Amino acid sequence: MKIDTNTMVSITEANQNFSRVARLVDEHGTAVILKNNVPRYLVIDFSKAENDSSASDEDIMNISKRLIAKNKEAYEVLAQ
């Protein structure tokens, strides 16, 4: 995941000015809240979360083909 440094907010600022965090999410799609200068929380648009939570059939087929090709010998031994 790529993190845009423009969307990083300290936890103190997020606590005091959550409307700024919401604006960042509206503008950029995500906001990262830092705790002790380390990314700790990710705030994302709810509709984006639903779309990102499931993989497309095409992605699953590509991953399956790659795994089958990578482990072909093991599958052949198991098939016997």
Side-chain angles (χ1 to χ4, degrees):
M1 166 185 251
K2 294 182 181 179
I3 299 174
D4 184 358
T5 56
N6 295 324
T7 64
M8 299 172 108
V9 179
S10 71
I11 196 162
T12 303
E13 184 177 356
N15 187 33
Q16 294 172 354
N17 192 3
F18 191 76
S19 61
R20 179 173 185 264
V21 176
R23 268 194 311 278
L24 286 172
V25 173
D26 290 341
E27 293 171 6
H28 300 282
T30 62
V32 176
I33 299 175
L34 305 172
K35 186 173 184 179
N36 297 324
N37 292 325
V38 176
R40 182 68 185 255
Y41 304 103
L42 177 65
V43 182
I44 61 174
D45 185 275
F46 189 79
S47 61
K48 187 176 188 307
E50 287 183 347
N51 293 340
D52 290 349
S53 66
S54 61
S56 69
D57 290 341
E58 190 173 306
D59 290 340
I60 293 171
M61 289 301 293
N62 288 335
I63 292 169
S64 296
K65 287 177 185 176
R66 187 177 67 223
L67 288 172
I68 289 171
K70 181 179 177 181
N71 299 304
K72 185 177 181 179
E73 290 179 29
Y75 291 132
E76 287 173 351
V77 169
L78 290 172
Q80 293 178 357

